[in-house]
Amino acid sequence: MRKYRFGLVGLGVISKYFISALENNYQAELLAVCARSKGLRKPYEDKGVVGYKNYIDLIANPHVDVVIVATPNNTHLEIIKAALLASKHVICEKPLVLNPWNLDALA
């Protein structure tokens, strides 16, 4: 059975819930994480997860199937758009966008 490889952008409080869900799913693998802080990335890198400082680099990883966006709300649109343009599946912590008219930017 195929494993889906996930990249997680943002390592704040909400990310722990996503990581827990991935760890409890035999079809999921946390492949990469992204955070500006090396201190936040390091515990995952020590476990063999690829760490990135920039979400563009995480999205460019051809082995990442799904991008989870767990960053501050005002950054969701930019990250989601980049992931979709790279043909990645996306899971986003709410809200998807700050204003409904921004949804057109994702079409």
Side-chain angles (χ1 to χ4, degrees):
M1 190 159 269
R2 181 178 194 269
K3 274 199 172 194
Y4 292 89
R5 297 161 299 186
F6 288 78
L8 175 61
V9 181
L11 290 173
V13 174
I14 195 69
S15 68
K16 291 171 181 50
Y17 296 99
F18 287 109
I19 291 167
S20 176
L22 295 175
E23 289 173 344
N24 290 308
N25 185 330
Y26 67 92
Q27 285 185 273
E29 175 188 356
L30 180 60
L31 182 74
V33 295
C34 176
R36 289 186 206 147
S37 166
K38 176 73 171 165
L40 291 175
R41 294 188 313 264
K42 186 160 177 20
Y44 300 99
E45 292 171 336
D46 291 346
K47 295 178 184 179
V49 175
V50 180
Y52 294 99
K53 186 175 181 178
N54 183 316
Y55 73 87
I56 297 292
D57 296 331
L58 181 145
I59 290 169
N61 182 327
H63 302 292
V64 171
D65 301 309
V66 184
V67 175
I68 300 173
V69 181
T71 56
N73 297 346
N74 65 325
T75 64
H76 291 180
L77 177 63
E78 179 180 330
I79 298 167
I80 293 167
K81 188 172 184 177
L84 291 174
L85 287 171
S87 298
K88 305 291 182 178
H89 298 283
V90 176
I91 297 172
C92 183
E93 195 276 322
K94 63 178 177 14
L96 187 62
V97 292
L98 293 179
N99 300 301
W101 52 88
N102 290 138
L103 287 171
D104 290 340
L106 299 178

